[in-house]
Amino acid sequence: MTSIPPGATIGILGGGQLARMSALAARRLGYNVHVFEHPAADAPAAPVCDRAVRASFDDADALVDFARGVAVVTLEFENIPVSALQALEAHAPVRPHWSVLQTCQHREREKLWLQKHGYPHADFRVVSTPEELRSAVAALGTPCVLKTAEFGYDGKGQRKLDSTDEVALHQAWQAWSLAGTRVASRGVVEAWVDFAAELSVICARNPRGEIVASPVFENMHTRHILDFSIAPARFPPQVAARATDLARSITERLAVEGLLAVEMFLTHAGEIIVNELAPRPHNSGHLTLDAAVTSQFEQHVRAVCAQPLGQPAMLCAAVMVNLLGDLWPKAGALPPDWSAVLREPAAKLHLYGKAAARPGRKMGHCTVLDAKVETALARARGIKAQLQAQADCA
Ligand code: AMP
């Protein structure tokens, strides 16, 4: 397997913040970067890339033209039509392969894959009618959660179900199947996991089959969106070892070329349950930019360019806080005052350059570094509280 050397050009599908941070890592290593993004997208990656193509993922000519200009194609999000990846692979290696995307972009296929290969997952049923929903809820019990099969992320397209009452379930089905941009009313009902904590591991795998796992990240969500990520995770060593083994094993079995983020729940009984797979850089790994020997973005570049993988060890403890659009003042007002972050000497501010702030939209993040994880967490909470107080007063 020949590696793609610095000086070559990497093509990234999708132009959001994950592409931006991968592109910055690629540039630092001496690669050029082209990005392919949907014309409607607000484009944080474009300003740091050598070329930005704005076209639809259905535009076969634009895809072929893009592939001809790059040495390898990779991606920053999984909701890309598999047909686009198939069109590209005639002209350039595509990493990860479309078959990985096909499994990971569709919750039903992903759950069936986990089940088939014996990985621990929440009990689930696939439903496409209100009657199927009723029998799924009867089988799984309440609470449970109805999730869209496709295009769901950050809790979008999800509905918690608390009642087995027929009328309530019918109403829930109607509201769920009419909401958002759902293509088809097909979903997965999952048993509720009364978890003690959420965690993730991001594995990098290059085409030679070498795998390097990140540290384990401890994740705290608010309203289904990641709020804080903490490393080192505050779990017993056997929990971290089990999470890492699971993530490595899944990465190997899927033969991922690139990154695979494995999101997991830790139950009160100490079991680990796999929640979701994402074959790309992941929000929980952002703290590696400032706190690890090799960031997830550099690892992404190394993996897809068939280079040796870097050392993932943490240089110190770190806590990442997501900066969501909720922290921005209402339209017309000044942007947030970042001095709450900047006056903390060991806090690193990352803003993605997005034009429009909306509630729940990821506009940036900050990472607080310290020798002790509890100190980093206390400072991160303090920064978040100050920014929130500012937004509340604006
Ligand atoms: P997802 O989009 O599936 O990753 O879900 C987003 C978040 O919703 C997760 O990180 C959890 O905090 C919560 N969640 C999702 N599924 C479940 C479940 N089956 N039981 C409990 N909480 C869940």
Side-chain angles (χ1 to χ4, degrees):
M1 174 62 59
T2 43
S3 56
I4 296 166
T9 301
I10 301 172
I12 305 179
L13 304 177
Q17 68 268 19
L18 301 177
R20 176 185 172 103
M21 290 183 272
S22 288
L24 289 169
R27 289 195 133 187
R28 212 170 62 157
L29 285 166
Y31 290 95
N32 305 307
V33 183
H34 292 182
V35 72
F36 188 106
E37 66 203 346
H38 195 274
D42 184 359
V48 302
C49 289
D50 300 277
R51 181 183 178 213
V53 175
R54 310 203 84 191
S56 154
F57 288 110
D58 304 329
D59 185 339
D61 292 340
L63 285 167
V64 169
D65 179 59
F66 181 76
R68 287 198 174 126
V70 301
V72 62
V73 175
T74 186
L75 48 90
E76 64 129 27
F77 75 128
E78 57 268 44
N79 289 329
I80 296 170
V82 161
S83 57
L85 269 62
Q86 290 166 333
L88 289 159
E89 74 176 4
H91 307 277
V94 180
R95 295 174 182 150
H97 191 255
W98 60 261
S99 57
V100 174
L101 229 69
Q102 195 174 44
T103 303
C104 299
Q105 70 185 187
H106 193 275
R107 213 181 282 275
E108 177 183 342
R109 280 198 288 272
E110 187 175 280
K111 292 266 179 228
L112 291 170
W113 186 92
L114 291 169
Q115 186 176 56
K116 177 173 163 200
H117 295 287
Y119 293 108
H121 57 275
D123 199 4
F124 70 97
R125 298 287 185 282
V126 177
V127 294
S128 52
T129 63
E131 293 70 38
E132 285 174 359
L133 177 66
R134 270 205 300 279
S135 36
V137 174
L140 298 170
T142 52
C144 55
V145 54
L146 172 60
K147 299 182 176 183
T148 177
E150 288 177 285
F151 302 114
Y153 66 96
D154 286 345
K156 290 190 173 61
Q158 294 192 14
R159 207 177 169 88
K160 190 175 175 194
L161 305 173
D162 292 303
S163 160
T164 49
D165 174 72
E166 206 166 303
V167 177
L169 279 180
H170 196 80
Q171 282 169 351
W173 175 266
Q174 293 291 54
W176 176 83
S177 60
L178 294 174
T181 54
R182 198 143 309 120
V183 182
S185 296
R186 192 168 175 87
V188 172
V189 186
E190 258 179 52
W192 191 252
V193 181
D194 182 23
F195 55 79
E198 295 191 70
L199 58 155
S200 57
V201 174
I202 304 169
C203 288
R205 182 177 177 276
N206 66 18
R208 279 186 290 281
E210 291 157 1
I211 297 181
V212 170
S214 72
V216 177
F217 305 117
E218 177 184 345
N219 303 323
M220 294 177 182
H221 292 75
T222 302
R223 283 180 276 119
H224 301 284
I225 304 179
L226 186 63
D227 205 358
F228 294 91
S229 276
I230 301 167
R234 297 163 300 165
F235 305 130
Q238 66 274 19
V239 168
R242 167 85 174 130
T244 306
D245 286 350
L246 276 170
R248 290 182 70 100
S249 167
I250 293 171
T251 304
E252 178 139 43
R253 201 180 290 270
L254 275 171
V256 175
E257 292 175 345
L259 297 183
L260 185 75
V262 181
E263 296 177 21
M264 293 165 268
F265 298 126
L266 173 65
T267 68
H268 292 283
E271 274 176 297
I272 293 185
I273 292 177
V274 177
N275 174 33
E276 237 187 349
L277 310 176
R280 54 165 170 79
H282 190 263
N283 198 169
S284 62
H286 289 3
L287 56 78
T288 60
L289 272 174
D290 299 303
V293 177
T294 312
S295 76
Q296 63 163 342
F297 302 102
E298 179 176 340
Q299 213 68 301
H300 183 200
V301 172
R302 285 170 174 256
V304 301
C305 290
Q307 295 288 358
L309 300 170
Q311 219 223 71
M314 298 289 290
L315 297 164
C316 60
V319 174
M320 185 228 54
V321 189
N322 261 338
L323 304 173
L324 302 181
D326 312 58
L327 296 174
W328 265 244
K330 312 281 167 299
L334 291 171
D337 171 4
W338 296 116
S339 50
V341 187
L342 295 173
R343 69 172 162 252
E344 176 62 59
K348 300 290 183 180
L349 178 64
H350 298 255
L351 293 173
Y352 307 146
K354 293 183 182 179
R358 287 189 297 275
R361 187 160 201 226
K362 292 173 181 171
M363 304 294 289
H365 70 268
C366 85
T367 303
V368 182
L369 311 174
D370 197 86
K372 293 202 185 85
V373 71
E374 295 298 346
T375 311
L377 181 56
R379 295 206 173 119
R381 285 191 193 283
I383 288 173
K384 174 83 191 284
Q386 286 178 61
L387 292 172
Q388 191 61 61
Q390 257 179 49
D392 293 344
C393 294

